[in-house]
Amino acid sequence: MKAAAVVGVAGIAAMFAARPFVQLDDQGIEILEAAAPVFVDAEAERSPRLLPMDTDSEIEDRAQRPVETHVRVGSGDTLGDVLARAGVDSAEAVQAIDALRDVFNPRALKAGQKVKVTFEKSPHGFGHGGFHMVSLNADPIRVVGAQRDAKGGFAGIETMRQVSKQVAHNAGVIKSSLFESAQNAGVPVQIIMAMIKALSYDVDFQRDIQSGDSFDVVYEGFYDTKGKLVRSGEMLYAAVGLSGVPIAMYRFDNGQGSVEYFNEKGESVKKALLKTPVDGAKITSGFGMRNHPILGFTKMHKGIDFGVPTGTPIQAAGDGMIEVAGFNGSYGNYVRLRHGSGVGTAYAHMSRIATGIKVGKKVSQGQIIGFVGSTGRSTGAHLHYEVLKGNTQINPLSMKMPTNTKLAGRELDRFKAVKRDTDTLLAKIAPSTRLAANSLGKSAALTN
């Protein structure tokens, strides 16, 4: 009996020496990132329980399956690094990566992404067989990979997840911020950002939004068979109610490659000038007479000061031509742009002017022209921003920003038809619900 016991223990030890412990998920897939514990101290657990034993058929079934390993991409990793960490031979890894290039650029691999490496089932009942396939999600609906073919080489493969296009409607009350309130209501981040960008021409999110204001948004999404959002589509409609005053916008495609958002009158919400040329800005000094913080006497302040940290990017408020770019006395590093209709904008106290910003060059709205600083006559990091009519500074907050586009004629008629369809969607889809696009009839063709 003692001899038999010794032989049994030796056999178990040999088996574990041949195959180290691995962690499996509930599908029997090996997870490379963490090793399983060698033992469990049942007495130390609050509620020890017995785990059900696998049946012989379950063990046999698992032994017949391929062995899958998930590897997370680390910072600076190449696909070759990932395959090496999974135990793939370097020569086979090179072949697989070459085949993958037919459907995916391996350089597009991102840190944090998961790569699935599949091996053949083990011929011995433990460990794994030869390398068979590598696959990963190229985007939310596309899976790409390289799989061993009948000739022993590798071929690129590509499959699409089954998704359906649906239209969703969300609405809510703003408590602390539009972003947070919309996110809590289930609006995808990409749609929230599109909503903020489109509204930013009319809404100052630091000062105009108040607790108790409302929002409303209709957008497309692509959902898998389990109802999970895999990719956001287009924002079709967005609105906010600011102290009871509604601001609404409708998506409109002119059929010639231009897509913009328009108000109910068919006027583009995109204005000639941005309301604020820096993100997250707070006004620290307004336009008008003030006691100058350095000179110590009352002096006209001919612009608005936005308090933001050093290095914050400064955007061109509108399309225009660079009129001045360089050091300008008390203004420090300074850029002045000339826009249409005799309107200009100026930006002062920059830490530095952006590369390529030179007199005579054109800039587009939103282009980075410099970075916030405290050069010239300044007590701390901020942007001094001016709007000029001719050569005279005017109050940016009191200026009514002209719209870029006003629809007319047939274009206006087409827009009104789109607006009617969108209003139908608003009435048909209750807030916090969505409907399949193919069940919405004519309204579903809003983005076609």
Side-chain angles (χ1 to χ4, degrees), residues 160-196:
M160 307 296 286
R161 290 175 65 180
Q162 186 178 349
V163 296
S164 63
K165 180 180 174 183
Q166 300 180 30
V167 179
H169 179 195
N170 286 97
V173 175
I174 300 170
K175 295 181 179 179
S176 56
S177 72
L178 174 60
F179 185 95
E180 184 178 349
S181 300
Q183 195 171 36
N184 290 340
V187 182
V189 171
Q190 295 89 337
I191 298 298
I192 298 174
M193 297 310 296
M195 181 166 47
I196 290 173

Side-chain angles (χ1 to χ4, degrees), residues 180-260:
E180 184 178 349
S181 300
Q183 195 171 36
N184 290 340
V187 182
V189 171
Q190 295 89 337
I191 298 298
I192 298 174
M193 297 310 296
M195 181 166 47
I196 290 173
K197 182 179 180 181
L199 287 166
S200 63
Y201 292 99
D202 291 302
V203 179
D204 185 330
F205 290 95
Q206 295 291 329
R207 289 167 285 277
D208 294 347
I209 298 281
Q210 304 293 327
S211 178
D213 288 341
S214 61
F215 71 89
D216 210 350
V217 59
V218 176
Y219 57 93
E220 298 170 335
F222 295 86
Y223 297 81
D224 65 16
T225 54
K226 296 181 180 179
K228 181 180 179 181
L229 178 72
V230 296
R231 190 179 73 187
S232 297
E234 299 290 347
M235 183 180 76
L236 307 178
Y237 168 88
V240 289
L242 305 181
S243 301
V245 179
I247 297 176
M249 60 192 62
Y250 297 79
R251 183 184 186 276
F252 178 63
D253 184 343
N254 67 1
Q256 299 175 358
S258 177
V259 176
E260 286 188 47

Side-chain angles (χ1 to χ4, degrees), residues 133-423:
M133 182 173 67
V134 57
S135 62
L136 56 97
N137 292 324
D139 56 49
I141 64 172
R142 191 167 64 102
V143 179
V144 297
Q147 182 174 330
R148 191 180 293 278
D149 58 26
K151 297 179 181 179
F154 288 87
I157 55 173
E158 181 180 36
T159 56
M160 307 296 286
R161 290 175 65 180
Q162 186 178 349
V163 296
S164 63
K165 180 180 174 183
Q166 300 180 30
V167 179
H169 179 195
N170 286 97
V173 175
I174 300 170
K175 295 181 179 179
S176 56
S177 72
L178 174 60
F179 185 95
E180 184 178 349
S181 300
Q183 195 171 36
N184 290 340
V187 182
V189 171
Q190 295 89 337
I191 298 298
I192 298 174
M193 297 310 296
M195 181 166 47
I196 290 173
K197 182 179 180 181
L199 287 166
S200 63
Y201 292 99
D202 291 302
V203 179
D204 185 330
F205 290 95
Q206 295 291 329
R207 289 167 285 277
D208 294 347
I209 298 281
Q210 304 293 327
S211 178
D213 288 341
S214 61
F215 71 89
D216 210 350
V217 59
V218 176
Y219 57 93
E220 298 170 335
F222 295 86
Y223 297 81
D224 65 16
T225 54
K226 296 181 180 179
K228 181 180 179 181
L229 178 72
V230 296
R231 190 179 73 187
S232 297
E234 299 290 347
M235 183 180 76
L236 307 178
Y237 168 88
V240 289
L242 305 181
S243 301
V245 179
I247 297 176
M249 60 192 62
Y250 297 79
R251 183 184 186 276
F252 178 63
D253 184 343
N254 67 1
Q256 299 175 358
S258 177
V259 176
E260 286 188 47
Y261 291 91
F262 292 81
N263 64 20
E264 295 178 342
K265 298 178 181 179
E267 300 170 337
S268 172
V269 301
K270 184 177 181 180
K271 303 297 191 294
L273 297 179
L274 297 173
K275 197 152 190 176
T276 57
V278 280
D279 287 335
K282 292 184 179 180
I283 293 178
T284 55
S285 185
F287 185 92
M289 298 299 292
R290 66 167 183 173
N291 185 49
H292 197 282
I294 294 178
L295 299 178
F297 55 81
T298 301
K299 187 176 187 293
M300 183 66 180
H301 187 233
K302 297 181 179 181
I304 290 178
D305 289 348
F306 292 106
V308 277
T310 297
T312 301
I314 300 168
Q315 305 172 70
D319 297 340
M321 182 81 72
I322 302 171
E323 197 170 50
V324 180
F327 194 83
N328 187 14
S330 61
Y331 280 119
N333 291 326
Y334 173 87
V335 170
R336 187 167 72 230
L337 307 177
R338 188 58 60 183
H339 310 284
S341 304
V343 174
T345 55
Y347 315 77
H349 306 309
M350 297 181 180
S351 59
R352 65 183 177 90
I353 296 170
T355 302
I357 299 301
K358 297 179 181 179
V359 174
K361 287 200 169 184
K362 292 183 179 180
V363 294
S364 56
Q365 188 175 63
Q367 182 177 335
I368 304 303
I369 59 172
F371 302 87
V372 170
S374 187
T375 56
R377 190 183 294 158
S378 170
T379 58
H382 71 284
L383 169 67
H384 174 82
Y385 173 63
E386 296 179 355
V387 174
L388 302 94
K389 189 69 174 177
N391 292 317
T392 303
Q393 291 93 341
I394 61 175
N395 188 349
L397 296 183
S398 64
M399 179 182 180
K400 183 174 175 59
M401 300 297 178
T403 185
N404 276 356
T405 307
K406 291 184 180 180
L407 299 174
R410 292 183 178 179
E411 287 288 276
L412 182 58
D413 292 338
R414 287 186 60 242
F415 168 75
K416 288 180 178 179
V418 169
K419 179 182 177 298
R420 285 194 297 271
D421 289 342
T422 306
D423 289 339

Side-chain angles (χ1 to χ4, degrees), residues 82-97:
V82 171
L83 292 175
R85 201 154 66 245
V88 177
D89 176 79
S90 59
E92 291 191 322
V94 169
Q95 293 180 51
I97 293 171

Side-chain angles (χ1 to χ4, degrees), residues 30-46:
E30 180 180 343
I31 301 174
L32 190 63
E33 297 164 301
V38 175
F39 67 94
V40 176
D41 184 356
E43 293 182 1
E45 295 191 348
R46 293 185 179 179

